[in-house]
Amino acid sequence: MKKTLAIVVFNAILLLFAVVTIVPFVWMFISSFATNADIVSISDSLFPKPSTLDNYANIQSTFNFMGFFGNSLFICVVKTAIVLYTSAVGGYIFSKLKYRGRGFLFGMILSSMMIPWAVTIIPQYDMMVNFGLLDSYWALILPAMVNGFGVFMLKQAMDDIPDEIIEAARVDGASDFRIFHRIMLPLSRNALSAIGIFVFLWNWEDYLWPFLMINDQDKQLLAVGLKLFSGQYGTDYGGLFAATSIAIIPVLIVYLLFQKQFISGLAAGSGK
């Protein structure tokens, strides 16, 4: 009886948290079909009254939504692919290769996770300016090519892969390059999926770094482009909510496609 009651209470708490999390997104989606007057009006109803499709119809005419969307999608896919590969390489090096100083180097990787990102903004900005990469996509890609959290997660996942598999492959004449690509990567797909979702989400919603690095509006990313809905004398909330509703679609698609692997990857990493 007590166990059943505890389960009911626990599920009720989870349901409450889910409602608190979902309601703002539902409100934003409904507001994307409402006029500005309805959105900012003070009424007895919690949600604005959906009454128009103009917000979606006018997105492209208001600003270059598809251009910003395509730029963000390109950058996020490229950065996610690079981080997945470098994280897997780092995880393999720290997990399966034996060499002097491995623990110290891995400790340095972990220590990089303790440094607040805001502390590194000015040094990274100076480096990109000195390299002549300002207003270039390289300025967005190069600083994010290696992710300490990704290396940590992939090392944890590869620690679970028996060394006997690698030893058998080496006996058969396989090189480290072949072992990594043919054995370690496929067996680490759950952890890769989890890291991929995190990295894609972080880059998709990143605002500050693209804002600092990219000055050309044609190259700008969607997170920065959304601020164009805010004018000097007012904000087009309907258009902003419509654009934001479309902007979250790629994140939902990525999560739905890799949901099982994402949960399995997190569970594997949390067991260490």
Side-chain angles (χ1 to χ4, degrees):
M1 183 66 180
K2 290 183 178 180
K3 185 176 181 180
T4 303
L5 180 61
I7 293 175
V8 171
V9 173
F10 182 71
N11 289 333
I13 294 174
L14 291 180
L15 179 62
L16 177 62
F17 286 157
V19 170
V20 171
T21 303
I22 293 174
V23 165
F25 291 96
V26 175
W27 188 91
M28 179 191 71
F29 181 70
I30 295 176
S31 298
S32 68
F33 295 96
T35 62
N36 262 14
D38 289 334
I39 294 173
V40 301
S41 66
I42 301 177
S43 62
D44 297 332
S45 176
L46 174 64
F47 297 98
K49 181 180 179 181
S51 59
T52 180
L53 295 174
D54 290 343
N55 296 327
Y56 287 91
N58 296 332
I59 287 178
Q60 187 62 30
S61 61
T62 302
F63 79 133
N64 186 20
F65 176 81
M66 294 307 299
F68 292 149
F69 188 93
N71 294 340
S72 291
L73 191 61
F74 169 75
I75 290 297
C76 289
V77 170
V78 171
K79 292 174 71 174
T80 301
I82 293 175
V83 168
L84 287 179
Y85 190 79
T86 57
S87 298
V89 171
Y92 178 68
I93 291 174
F94 288 116
S95 177
K96 299 304 180 183
L97 300 184
K98 311 299 181 182
Y99 52 91
R100 183 177 298 179
R102 182 180 64 167
F104 173 77
L105 292 176
F106 186 63
M108 295 294 292
I109 295 291
L110 294 181
S111 66
S112 68
M113 298 168 54
M114 312 302 171
I115 303 175
W117 183 77
V119 176
T120 64
I121 290 179
I122 294 178
Q124 287 188 8
Y125 182 86
D126 287 340
M127 289 173 62
M128 295 302 106
V129 172
N130 292 332
F131 293 159
L133 298 178
L134 194 64
D135 208 24
S136 168
Y137 284 155
W138 285 111
L140 305 180
I141 295 173
L142 288 178
M145 291 181 66
V146 179
N147 185 284
F149 179 70
V151 174
F152 169 75
M153 286 290 292
L154 265 298
K155 178 188 180 299
Q156 302 296 84
M158 291 183 182
D159 282 344
D160 288 336
I161 300 175
D163 293 338
E164 290 76 10
I165 296 178
I166 299 176
E167 293 172 0
R170 285 182 176 145
V171 169
D172 290 338
S175 63
D176 282 322
F177 183 85
R178 187 178 183 85
I179 291 172
F180 172 72
H181 289 91
R182 293 297 183 90
I183 298 177
M184 303 304 291
L185 283 183
L187 292 178
S188 305
R189 59 182 178 274
N190 290 337
L192 288 170
S193 299
I195 295 299
I197 291 175
F198 277 125
V199 173
F200 187 91
L201 178 60
W202 292 336
N203 287 289
W204 185 261
E205 64 184 13
D206 188 18
Y207 173 86
L208 181 57
W209 191 245
F211 177 74
L212 294 175
M213 290 291 102
I214 305 299
N215 297 321
D216 187 349
Q217 185 167 317
D218 292 334
K219 297 180 180 179
Q220 197 53 268
L221 306 190
L222 184 59
V224 181
L226 290 176
K227 74 181 182 65
L228 296 179
F229 282 103
S230 300
Q232 183 178 0
Y233 302 105
T235 300
D236 181 10
Y237 291 107
L240 177 61
F241 293 151
T244 306
S245 297
I246 298 176
I248 66 176
I249 292 177
V251 177
L252 292 177
I253 292 176
V254 169
Y255 178 76
L256 292 176
L257 289 177
F258 301 102
Q259 181 180 8
K260 292 183 179 180
Q261 293 86 345
F262 173 73
I263 296 174
S264 299
L266 289 182
S270 63
K272 292 291 182 182

